[in-house]
Amino acid sequence: MTTLRRTAPFALPVKILQFGQGNFMRGFFDWQIDLLNERTGLDAGVVVVRPRGGSSAPLLDTQDGLFTVLVRGLDEAGQPVKAYRTVSCVQREIDPGTMYADYLAQATNPDLRFVVSNTTEAGIAVNDTDRYADAPPATFPAKLAQLLFARYLAFEGAHDKGLVLLPCELIDDNGAALRDAVLHYARLWELPAGFAAWVGTACTFCNTLVDRIVTGYPAGDAEAIERELGYADPFLVAAEYYYLFVIQGPASVGAELKLAGSGLNVKLVDDIVPYKKRKVGILNGGHTTLVPVALLAGLEAVGPAVDDDEVGAFLRAAIYDEIIPALEMDRGELEGFAADVLRRFRNPAIHHRLASIALNSWSKFAARVLPQMLRFADLNGGRLPRRLVLAMAATMVLYRGGVIELADDPATLAWFRDGWDKVAAGTWTRADLARGWLAHSALWGRDLNGVPGLAERLAMDLDAIEEQGIRALLA
């Protein structure tokens, strides 16, 4: 079997420095840059930097920076899609643990315009032990501070040599957090005041929202894929059809990336918050609403749950009738996003186990579902969203145990063990269980017993699930 190698010399000027070589960045960001190069003439080469360094895994250089992205899922019409793309925008990969001088030399490249990163949620973190002289320091923000200071010195603080930073870490205000982390090291290392001013005025730190499931190397299909491609590619990643990249930043960022007319699902916005609420409410909230109900109905994965007559109808009604009305955004746009979400849930190429999503269900419920539950009641004269409350009751029943192996905060698991034991012994009613759990203000941010009718409705649903079963309730 042949391998993937270039047949022509490298030709793209390096405009992007990318911290993170993992599956997501290859199947999301690099794939988009490759399309921009093809469709708009962006002509942007990417140099990948391993944010941690010192790894023994092979570099992308072993394939001249080339790799394959397999996109598969359901398109807007609900039809199966399967497409391969050889991504060629990556020019080289640097491990700063062994190639520190090469890494720092990137600062002097006059063509460099963007820094993008995906170093996990814990990647944008600082300490007081990284030193300016470390080669390299431990944290990603310290490495970035070194690079930016080297660029500041190389171009004598020229304003037009500032960079645009697009962190893709899944934290709120990721651009602002990265800027603050860089400035932390500027203060810690006592760098010149002019550098901090340059970071604040010449560099643009954008908050972003990224959305795509990239499942990585499809080992189970490897032989068939190699036969189809005619070559072996250990860097191949599989990704779903859907993707979304939201960038909060000035119009100049979109102009530099040549987004106009590209046909890509990249949105340049003034305020990213509504898009985050939309994703958390519909995508994440939909998952959290679906999981306990589907598990109690005897299902194991998201796709079959959405296709199930009763469970799927419950989910669609919860999204369209209870979640969407509680979100502050154009309803047409919300419904379009919801349709995308339901297609993604049904993607036959992704086997998303319900038990995996059920990890730490209560913190997810508090963040993803409760805001819509309360706002729905506020907007409807106190009327509670029936399906969201039922999902809450189903989660409480799930935490009695015996359906899946539960994973959550030990104190939460202990509370439910004790609570359900009291119900079984007859010392508590299910109404007592409901009131006791709603009183956990540390989780909810308030005592939910103060929400009119919620404790009573929750207790009724607990009784109904126990006496009739979840499917009888859904029917």
Side-chain angles (χ1 to χ4, degrees):
M1 185 69 66
T2 60
T3 57
L4 190 59
R5 302 302 294 263
R6 292 184 189 266
T7 57
F10 296 89
L12 296 173
V14 173
K15 298 179 182 178
I16 301 169
L17 197 63
Q18 173 180 312
F19 286 85
Q21 79 285 8
N23 294 330
F24 179 78
M25 291 302 278
R26 298 204 307 278
F28 178 78
F29 182 78
D30 296 327
W31 176 84
Q32 291 181 76
I33 294 300
D34 209 60
L35 286 170
L36 286 169
N37 286 341
E38 176 186 282
R39 296 176 181 179
T40 71
L42 178 63
D43 291 331
V46 178
V47 167
V48 173
V49 178
R50 296 194 173 187
R52 289 176 181 82
S55 172
S56 60
L59 298 170
L60 281 166
D61 293 22
T62 59
Q63 292 186 171
D64 296 333
L66 298 175
F67 59 90
T68 309
V69 174
L70 165 59
V71 173
R72 52 187 179 180
L74 302 177
D75 65 14
E76 292 81 359
Q79 297 301 308
V81 171
K82 180 179 180 181
Y84 294 101
R85 182 175 186 87
T86 301
V87 174
S88 60
C89 61
V90 174
Q91 306 299 286
R92 64 177 302 202
E93 184 177 355
I94 295 174
D95 183 343
T98 56
M99 308 160 69
Y100 180 73
D102 280 355
Y103 162 67
L104 213 55
Q106 302 305 308
T108 64
N109 173 12
D111 293 324
L112 187 65
R113 288 297 300 137
F114 295 91
V115 173
V116 63
S117 64
N118 186 29
T119 57
T120 79
E121 292 89 316
I124 301 181
V126 299
N127 61 38
D128 292 331
T129 56
D130 277 335
R131 299 174 303 164
Y132 175 68
D134 289 344
T139 66
F140 156 57
K143 293 184 184 75
L144 179 60
Q146 286 181 329
L147 180 101
L148 290 176
F149 186 57
R151 188 170 184 83
Y152 170 78
L153 294 176
F155 294 102
E156 300 179 338
H159 193 274
D160 65 347
K161 293 304 182 215
L163 301 178
V164 177
L165 295 102
L166 303 171
C168 297
E169 288 80 2
L170 297 177
I171 62 172
D172 288 339
D173 300 321
N174 47 18
L178 184 57
R179 180 197 61 220
D180 292 346
V182 169
L183 293 175
H184 165 84
Y185 286 107
R187 291 189 299 270
L188 180 68
W189 298 337
E190 298 180 342
L191 300 179
F195 170 64
W198 181 81
V199 168
T201 59
C203 296
T204 303
F205 290 80
C206 300
N207 295 326
T208 72
L209 174 67
V210 298
D211 191 4
R212 186 177 222 180
I213 298 172
V214 180
T215 55
Y217 186 77
D221 304 326
E223 290 187 10
I225 289 172
E226 288 178 9
R227 285 196 300 270
E228 289 177 357
L229 292 174
Y231 60 82
D233 181 3
F235 293 104
L236 181 145
V237 293
E240 66 171 329
Y241 175 80
Y242 179 87
Y243 68 96
L244 171 67
F245 193 10
V246 184
I247 302 170
Q248 180 180 297
S252 58
V253 173
E256 280 203 65
L257 287 172
K258 296 190 177 182
L259 296 178
S262 67
L264 295 184
N265 196 21
V266 182
K267 297 182 181 295
L268 189 69
V269 301
D270 296 325
D271 184 7
I272 206 167
V273 172
Y275 293 91
K276 289 190 174 183
K277 288 184 176 180
R278 183 183 75 171
K279 177 178 181 288
V280 170
I282 297 176
L283 174 65
N284 304 123
H287 264 156
T288 302
T289 300
L290 168 70
V291 165
V293 172
L295 284 169
L296 294 181
L299 300 164
E300 295 183 354
V302 171
V306 177
D307 288 334
D308 183 273
D309 289 343
E310 295 164 342
V311 176
F314 164 83
L315 175 64
R316 288 187 289 274
I319 290 175
Y320 284 98
D321 298 342
E322 299 179 358
I323 294 175
I324 285 178
L327 294 171
E328 300 177 78
M329 203 172 182
D330 176 72
R331 183 172 180 105
E333 189 165 352
L334 291 170
E335 289 184 348
F337 182 74
D340 286 334
V341 164
L342 290 169
R343 278 193 298 273
R344 297 171 71 187
F345 285 179
R346 293 178 53 241
N347 186 350
I350 297 176
H351 184 75
H352 205 166
R353 295 180 63 248
L354 296 166
S356 298
I357 308 170
L359 301 177
N360 302 306
S361 287
W362 285 115
S363 60
K364 292 176 180 176
F365 197 98
R368 301 172 174 182
V369 182
L370 182 65
Q372 281 63 251
M373 180 188 292
L374 298 179
R375 189 161 191 273
F376 181 96
D378 288 343
L379 293 173
N380 291 276
R383 180 167 63 89
L384 293 166
R386 285 287 295 110
R387 295 166 189 85
L388 300 187
V389 177
L390 179 59
M392 187 183 222
T395 308
M396 294 183 71
V397 174
L398 189 66
Y399 271 57
R400 185 175 57 185
V403 179
I404 60 170
E405 184 176 348
L406 296 166
D408 208 317
D409 174 73
T412 296
L413 296 175
W415 190 91
F416 275 103
R417 279 195 303 270
D418 180 63
W420 280 111
D421 285 347
K422 289 177 178 177
V423 171
T427 57
W428 266 15
T429 65
R430 297 187 190 99
D432 293 326
L433 188 76
R435 287 190 293 268
W437 188 236
L438 292 177
H440 277 67
S441 56
L443 171 66
W444 307 120
R446 58 188 279 195
D447 185 340
L448 292 182
N449 285 293
V451 178
L454 179 57
E456 293 79 7
R457 181 72 257 175
L458 188 59
M460 291 173 63
D461 283 345
L462 288 171
D463 287 339
I465 293 172
E466 292 294 281
E467 294 165 8
Q468 303 174 40
I470 195 72
R471 283 203 176 272
L473 279 179
L474 298 181

